[in-house]
Amino acid sequence: MTYLANDNGYYGEFGGAFIPEMLQPNVNELKACYREIINSHEFKQEFIGLLKNYVGRPSPLYFAKRLSEKYGTNIYLKREDLNHTGSHKINNTIGQILLAQKMGKKRIIAETGAGQHGVATATVCALMNLECVVYMGELDVHRQEPNVKRMEMLGAKVVPALSGNKTLKDATNEALRDWINNPEDTYYLIGSVVGPHPYPDIVARFQSVISEEIGWQLDEQIGRTSPDYLIASVGGGSNAAGTFFHYLDDEKVKLIGVEASGLGINTNETAASLACGDVGFIHGSKTLLMQDHDGQIIEPYSISAGLDYPGIGPLHSHLFKTGRASYLDATDQEALDAAFLLTRTEGIIPALESAHALVALNKIKFKPDDVVVVTISGRGDKDMDTYISKM
Ligand SMILES: *Cc1c(COP(=O)(O)O)cnc(C)c1O
């Protein structure tokens, strides 16, 4: 496939593995074995079995009749919000926990910002009876207390990162330090299509179940396998990568990612890494990110904790640079309006992240016979406090 990583993990000029010398053996071990493991019959059987019976897949592809009437086109919602634990993140953590097991690892580490990936990781560690340590910036530990409690109830140890701004980047540094110190028994479980090669490729492949299902579900419902548009929100970019995956080489399908622009791309309170960023290095990968003149990473802002990430996965930087995908941005207010609209027209309360994807419906001129698929990456329960404060 044209848009996937080459053997060195490059998507065009982006990607690679820019890591300290001391991490090289860990990353090399993973690189050497991941493809063979995830392509094996045994792995696939276990992965598919858990996605079906534990996660509840396939997630429905739902024709949103009233929303379609409003926009004068045909809108289908890919319902990742109905997965166990409430978002697409579980697809990836199930895949990586199986990979870790097959590699003989006994201990799992992860970092989390909003806590969603931490909860998904703690969930699969409980399921597989593996030790779980989640690093989280101290500020985020306080901001996201319910998720901290969930992780603890699931048996994970949450370690606050006390350095820097005490947010996601600092948690990442702590996780990497842990991995360097525990190379033998520890698996580092990354939550989006970010990080050094081979993580972006691993996560994209596990999330590709989304586009695989969209293909046969469209066929079943309307007798065609390709939509005209695929739309997804983009933080690191994993639900979008999974939504686009099987259509990357099908150039007739328009791919739309939506970044969070917070208070607007012309303010300092934003998380739109493509609209506002330039080339740099973050989390072991070369990609587009928000940085100041000295190359210091700018602290991102969005009302949605899951999109509050200063970079974007290298696959998306490449799709953006080549023009294969288009990226729009949505402000806090636009996302809130879209969340209330979906709730009142279809009876579905989306996650704030997913509401950003819905904003694209206002910004594109569709034809009456277009087929538009929007991925609802998660459910809105976790965002009720924010929604209530805006009612
Ligand atoms: C984490 C999260 C996102 C953003 O992450 P991606 O890797 O860009 O998908 C989007 N939606 C929900 C519900 C999330 O939890």
Side-chain angles (χ1 to χ4, degrees):
M1 288 169 79
T2 324
Y3 293 96
L4 293 189
N6 68 17
D7 284 343
N8 295 320
Y10 278 92
Y11 301 84
E13 65 178 288
F14 302 107
F18 297 86
I19 49 175
E21 199 61 44
M22 290 173 78
L23 269 181
Q24 212 75 53
N26 306 28
V27 171
N28 285 345
E29 182 194 9
L30 186 60
K31 209 164 74 179
C33 70
Y34 83 100
R35 280 201 191 147
E36 195 185 322
I37 293 176
I38 71 179
N39 288 324
S40 72
H41 180 71
E42 185 188 316
F43 182 94
K44 283 186 182 161
Q45 289 306 104
E46 285 178 47
F47 184 47
I48 292 167
L50 283 169
L51 289 183
K52 177 165 186 271
N53 299 315
Y54 185 72
V55 175
R57 303 202 72 90
S59 67
L61 181 72
Y62 165 67
F63 175 62
K65 185 159 172 289
R66 293 190 59 213
L67 200 66
S68 297
E69 280 163 7
K70 173 166 169 33
Y71 286 103
T73 190
N74 305 288
I75 299 168
Y76 291 79
L77 305 178
K78 184 59 175 156
R79 300 288 310 275
E80 295 300 300
D81 57 311
L82 295 177
N83 294 339
H84 177 47
T85 69
S87 83
H88 67 292
K89 286 201 169 71
I90 192 82
N91 304 327
N92 168 52
T93 55
I94 292 273
Q96 286 197 57
I97 205 78
L98 290 173
L99 177 57
Q101 271 186 331
K102 303 268 179 269
M103 292 174 71
K105 303 294 178 183
K106 301 278 178 263
R107 181 173 172 270
I108 305 297
I109 57 170
E111 82 264 311
T112 193
Q116 298 299 109
H117 173 59
V119 170
T121 303
T123 300
V124 295
C125 288
L127 178 69
M128 299 299 180
N129 192 25
L130 290 173
E131 185 186 344
C132 181
V133 178
V134 179
Y135 291 94
M136 194 168 183
E138 195 193 24
L139 194 63
D140 292 331
V141 170
H142 294 298
R143 288 196 293 204
Q144 311 289 343
E145 202 189 325
N147 278 337
V148 174
K149 295 295 171 222
R150 278 186 195 106
M151 287 183 261
E152 288 172 353
M153 182 166 174
L154 288 158
K157 184 172 167 214
V158 179
V159 180
L162 307 172
S163 60
N165 290 329
K166 305 183 172 66
T167 59
L168 182 61
K169 183 162 48 68
D170 315 294
T172 303
N173 290 338
E174 292 299 323
L176 289 171
R177 190 166 310 150
D178 181 316
W179 205 26
I180 290 172
N181 291 329
N182 301 285
E184 294 291 323
D185 68 335
T186 296
Y187 181 90
Y188 179 28
L189 207 161
I190 292 186
S192 188
V193 284
V194 300
H197 177 63
Y199 282 102
D201 190 46
I202 291 174
V203 179
R205 283 169 197 271
F206 290 148
Q207 292 293 359
S208 73
V209 64
I210 300 173
S211 60
E212 194 248 312
E213 288 176 3
I214 289 171
W216 64 256
Q217 288 173 319
L218 278 179
D219 191 27
E220 206 172 77
Q221 293 181 36
I222 55 171
R224 54 184 273 193
T225 54
S226 299
D228 296 293
Y229 290 87
L230 287 166
I231 303 174
S233 66
V234 181
S238 70
N239 87 87
T243 301
F244 299 167
F245 196 89
H246 288 93
Y247 296 100
L248 286 168
D249 285 334
D250 185 351
E251 306 266 349
K252 290 187 301 300
V253 181
K254 297 178 193 72
L255 310 177
I256 314 285
V258 185
E259 301 188 283
S261 57
L263 299 186
I265 53 172
N266 299 320
T267 70
N268 288 328
E269 304 292 306
T270 184
S273 328
L274 294 178
C276 305
D278 48 1
V279 180
F281 298 87
I282 183 172
H283 210 159
S285 144
K286 182 179 176 193
T287 191
L288 294 163
L289 65 142
M290 304 193 310
Q291 51 194 334
D292 65 19
H293 292 300
D294 302 324
Q296 294 292 333
I297 292 163
I298 294 173
E299 200 65 30
Y301 164 78
S302 162
I303 193 171
S304 141
L307 302 182
D308 201 350
Y309 182 70
I312 188 167
L315 165 66
H316 291 287
S317 293
H318 183 51
L319 295 176
F320 172 71
K321 202 66 183 271
T322 56
R324 173 64 190 98
S326 308
Y327 294 84
L328 309 176
D329 56 82
T331 63
D332 289 358
Q333 190 57 51
E334 289 174 318
L336 283 167
D337 292 344
F340 280 93
L341 177 70
L342 184 71
T343 303
R344 296 288 169 90
T345 48
E346 297 291 347
I348 297 169
I349 302 179
L352 267 167
E353 293 82 2
S354 319
H356 285 73
L358 291 162
V359 171
L361 297 172
N362 298 322
K363 304 195 172 185
I364 299 170
K365 185 96 191 70
F366 300 105
K367 295 205 273 308
D369 59 353
D370 278 340
V371 171
V372 179
V373 176
V374 185
T375 294
I376 303 299
S377 53
R379 67 173 86 115
D381 308 33
K382 67 181 179 59
D383 299 312
M384 282 315 293
D385 288 346
T386 307
Y387 289 147
I388 289 164
S389 73
K390 305 291 173 187
M391 259 159 59

